Amino acid sequence: PITKPGDRWLLGGHVLYCGDSTKAEDVAALMDGAVADLCITDPPYNVSRENNFQTVWSAARVWMDFGEWDKWFNQKEWIRYLPLVLKENANVVIFNAWENLKEISDACSKSNITIKRCLVLNKSNPAPFNRDRMFVNDVEFALWGVYNSKDKPTWWTFNRQSWVEKCVLDTTVQSSKLHPTMKDIKVIRHLVELLSNEWDLVFDPFMWSWTTAVACKELGRNYVGCEIDPKYCEIIEKRLNEVKIMEQQKLF
């Protein structure tokens, strides 16, 4: 079991590493020479704060403070290491708050990741913070881009599932039981299926509750992920062990 930074856990084609994905040495240890076909991740948004809104149903939701990990996070530093671990024409999806999209887009451009679209997550059950004075915050965002070392993406995986793939994706706010900012498995599953192929390697430098890994195991993708907090690593191990899917090929 993973109990401290530097620990590593392997299950079939999946690798979990407890470390800091904003440090080059931890990224190198995590990937161990492998390169990914898809990076899909949900870094901290820097949106934690106190508020005193009285128009929410639950007093437990008056405080929107996810913890210190969601404060003062450097949105650009970790992106510098992505070219070290991505294949040519690999897809990249980065979830974040609208306030950070320009900063992330600029950092991606400097790392030869061409942003193609801004995806919008349409929440069916948003928290009604300050609903008498403001628009309800019922959307979330993700930037989708393609990495190419010459800054000229030519052919990337795009397994269209419908007549057209729209940028707006319907989603529901998830329970905070496993992590306070947990993503909707059906959205992640759709993106993994759309932007990678069976047996491809998917990289997630900010795992949280490992929703991406669950989707990868269900869909027959290999997976490498990094999580800095050993507490969440324990949740991840248990959650992934509960997913039943075909035996996958080994990564290395």
Side-chain angles (χ1 to χ4, degrees):
I2 290 179
T3 59
K4 62 184 185 304
D7 283 353
R8 191 180 181 93
W9 181 70
L10 289 84
L11 175 66
H14 302 283
V15 177
L16 161 60
Y17 181 78
C18 186
D20 186 349
S21 55
T22 66
K23 296 180 179 178
E25 59 270 25
D26 279 15
V27 173
L30 165 67
M31 297 300 286
D32 195 25
V35 285
D37 302 275
L38 166 64
C39 173
I40 181 168
T41 195
D42 188 26
Y45 291 8
N46 293 339
V47 296
S48 287
R49 62 187 180 276
E50 289 184 23
N51 66 58
N52 296 305
F53 299 153
Q54 301 302 314
T55 53
V56 286
W57 341 292
S58 169
R61 301 189 74 168
V62 171
W63 297 86
M64 200 170 108
D65 189 342
F66 300 127
E68 292 304 311
W69 56 266
D70 192 53
K71 300 173 183 176
W72 316 114
F73 177 75
N74 189 320
Q75 299 289 346
K76 298 181 291 185
E77 186 68 14
W78 69 276
I79 295 174
R80 293 196 303 131
Y81 306 129
L82 285 182
L84 302 177
V85 297
L86 294 177
K87 290 182 180 178
E88 293 290 327
N89 299 312
N91 282 296
V92 178
V93 178
I94 304 172
F95 292 93
N96 221 286
W98 65 267
E99 296 96 327
N100 302 323
L101 296 183
K102 177 65 164 60
E103 184 177 12
I104 293 171
S105 178
D106 289 346
C108 284
S109 179
K110 291 178 181 178
S111 294
N112 294 326
I113 299 170
T114 302
I115 299 301
K116 295 291 186 181
R117 292 287 188 273
C118 179
L119 307 179
V120 181
L121 274 63
N122 177 35
K123 302 176 185 178
S124 64
N125 59 336
F129 291 133
N130 207 17
R131 59 180 174 164
D132 293 330
R133 300 185 61 198
M134 297 181 68
F135 293 98
V136 173
N137 187 20
D138 59 346
V139 293
E140 198 169 332
F141 301 92
L143 292 176
W144 164 57
V146 180
Y147 167 72
N148 184 278
S149 61
K150 298 180 176 60
D151 202 23
K152 293 181 179 180
T154 52
W155 188 258
W156 53 89
T157 299
F158 196 82
N159 301 315
R160 181 168 56 84
Q161 306 295 303
S162 306
W163 184 63
V164 293
E165 291 293 344
K166 296 183 178 180
C167 289
V168 177
L169 307 174
D170 291 333
T171 185
T172 53
V173 177
Q174 300 298 290
S175 165
S176 60
K177 180 179 179 181
L178 298 180
H179 191 276
T181 63
M182 189 170 165
K183 284 291 178 289
D184 187 346
I185 182 66
K186 70 175 183 293
V187 170
I188 301 301
R189 189 185 293 118
H190 177 68
L191 292 173
V192 169
E193 193 167 22
L194 185 68
L195 301 174
S196 67
N197 297 308
E198 192 174 9
W199 309 123
D200 274 357
L201 174 59
V202 179
F203 171 50
D204 184 357
F206 303 96
M207 291 189 303
W208 307 133
S209 58
W210 226 8
T211 300
T212 302
V214 171
C216 287
K217 191 172 183 184
E218 291 175 344
L219 296 169
R221 273 66 166 172
N222 293 307
Y223 178 87
V224 174
C226 188
E227 171 55 47
I228 195 171
D229 191 337
K231 175 182 68 174
Y232 287 114
C233 289
E234 292 178 17
I235 295 173
I236 290 162
E237 288 182 71
K238 182 177 184 297
R239 191 177 181 198
L240 196 62
N241 271 318
E242 292 173 348
V243 179
K244 299 186 185 304
I245 196 65
M246 70 182 76
E247 185 66 25
Q248 293 193 4
Q249 65 184 19
K250 292 186 177 179
L251 261 177
F252 310 111

